[in-house]
Amino acid sequence: MDFSLPADLVAYLGELDRFIDREIKPLEQADDNIRFFDHRREWARTDFENGGLPRHEWEALLRKAKDLADAAGHLRFPVPKQYGGKDGSNLWMAVIREHFAAKGLGLHNDLQNEHSIVGNFPVVTMLDRYGRDDQKAMIDGSIRGKYRITFGLTEPHHGSDATHMETRAVPATRDNVKGWVINGEKMWTTGMHVATHCALFARTSGNDGDAHGITCFLVPARSPGVRIEEYMWTFNMPTDHPRVSFTDVFVPEDALFGEVGRGLSLAQCFVHQNRIRQAASSLGAAVYCINESVKYARERKPFGKALAENQAIQFPLVELATQAEMLRLLIRKTAWEMDQLNEEQIERTLSDRVSMCNYWANRLCCESADRAMQVHGGMGYSRHKPFEHIYRHHRRYRITEGSEEIQMRKVAGFLFGYMGPRKH
């Protein structure tokens, strides 16, 4: 059994590195753009006087980097070829995202907002698999930034328990136009400040807790009755995560996204791709923290003796490095298996492994960043090092994304048999 990376994947990593050095690094250094990544990053990125939203200059810089990557043929790597992509696999994406995150903070890849010169486009996958032709026509625009589709699943009173959502959609007719009226609230609707649409999940039939009966709608973000109630200030800023209310929002029938009552299929399509790739990024960030700690421990010589000679420094890093190696194998194996299955098969037979990768990678990253802060001493806890930024971001993932509780619940479902047996 050969566990080595394909030669063409290794070659592509080299191509990406050369592109970063040639195009992205100079942009990162121009016009003091490094302020978005050094000790000033939180203040540079955050418009504290405007609800804590991302500053326009920050988002414009990210867009410029994406446009450079798109022109070079990298941004759309995971997108189907018919939309200008390269049909990039989950395995390749996992390797690329780990590789990028292991480089540390930079314009090439920013974990706080999922920015990357090799894009992660779960909404594109949703449009391609479940959208009508007129909805698929939005794919190119969503990649270029013309359209921004947010994800309206989580609710204030039910958190990660999507099947108990209180948002309701009922059939209605207005001005002789058939459609739906939607009422409810959503939380953590990331990107709503610049959104053109919200992929909004609402119950159209069935009872609380039923998987069937939830329907997805593409709701124009500025529709009458759509209101951003507040932006939730988070563990690390800026915030683009609002609580949004939908009051008597009318949408025509063509707002339907996918089949009536089968909206959770779209949600699963979004989260499986997102979670395996986010796991790979978390692993990469953990590796960065471990490597930086080892480097510093070999260089730092308090009282004339290198920190690296101290077993109290060595052994915790040995444990983290070992966990990283084991997790890398699990992530890559799981990503490869995902490439062999369709979405329904992944949910039925592999989603527990995706969950294992996700929650453990986030936990490992937090532990590695915390250890890096300790190894680096006082400077490690300052913002002049990136470790606090990495720690806070991944700690937030463990809480607000439901990565810890929901992923472990999914694993338990397979382990104890109430979601079906796990075939080894």
Side-chain angles (χ1 to χ4, degrees), residues 91-145:
L91 174 59
W92 278 50
M93 281 295 288
V95 173
I96 290 169
R97 286 175 70 86
E98 179 193 341
H99 180 73
F100 280 175
K103 290 177 174 290
L105 301 187
L107 187 54
H108 65 287
N109 189 76
D110 193 82
L111 300 182
Q112 188 181 25
N113 53 25
E114 288 295 322
H115 160 79
S116 180
I117 60 167
V118 174
N120 185 34
F121 300 112
V123 169
V124 168
T125 305
M126 290 169 63
L127 288 168
D128 181 47
R129 293 183 182 176
Y130 296 98
R132 301 184 308 272
D133 287 344
D134 60 311
Q135 292 169 334
K136 290 180 181 180
M138 300 173 68
I139 288 176
D140 182 71
S142 68
I143 296 171
R144 292 187 292 106

Side-chain angles (χ1 to χ4, degrees), residues 18 23 36 57 122 176 217 287 365:
R18 291 188 292 274
E23 301 284 348
F36 296 113
E57 298 87 347
N176 296 319
F217 300 90
V287 169
C365 189

Side-chain angles (χ1 to χ4, degrees), residues 174-240:
R174 288 188 180 177
D175 298 325
N176 296 319
V177 176
K178 291 185 177 180
W180 303 78
V181 170
I182 304 173
N183 284 278
E185 273 194 321
K186 296 295 178 180
M187 285 283 287
W188 314 113
T189 319
T190 304
M192 198 67 182
H193 67 298
V194 292
T196 57
H197 298 78
C198 177
L200 180 65
F201 294 83
R203 183 163 293 284
T204 53
S205 65
N207 301 312
D208 289 344
D210 290 349
H212 192 274
I214 294 172
T215 303
C216 188
F217 300 90
L218 270 183
V219 178
R222 303 297 175 257
S223 296
V226 178
R227 176 183 171 86
I228 296 174
E229 298 291 346
E230 61 178 327
Y231 283 95
M232 312 304 296
W233 286 40
T234 56
F235 203 25
N236 54 349
M237 296 292 281
T239 177
D240 58 354

Side-chain angles (χ1 to χ4, degrees), residues 32 50 98 108 148 164 184 200 230 245 266 284 287 309 313 316 323 366 378-379 383 390 396 408 413:
D32 196 31
N50 187 29
E98 179 193 341
H108 65 287
R148 175 66 184 267
H164 280 78
L200 180 65
E230 61 178 327
S245 63
L266 280 78
V287 169
E309 296 180 31
I313 297 294
Q323 291 174 25
C366 284
M379 286 299 292
R383 295 191 179 187
I390 294 170
R396 177 177 66 82
M408 294 181 77

Side-chain angles (χ1 to χ4, degrees), residues 251-263:
V251 294
E253 286 186 325
D254 62 7
L256 181 66
F257 190 11
E259 297 180 40
V260 174
R262 297 181 62 86

Side-chain angles (χ1 to χ4, degrees), residues 283-300:
L283 170 61
V287 169
Y288 169 79
C289 293
I290 295 166
N291 289 343
E292 288 296 303
S293 297
V294 170
K295 178 182 176 182
Y296 182 79
R298 296 176 69 180
E299 296 172 349
R300 181 70 166 169

Side-chain angles (χ1 to χ4, degrees), residues 283 287 320-330 364:
L283 170 61
V287 169
L320 293 172
T322 302
Q323 291 174 25
E325 289 295 330
M326 293 189 293
L327 181 60
R328 178 179 293 113
L329 292 176
L330 179 61
L364 177 63

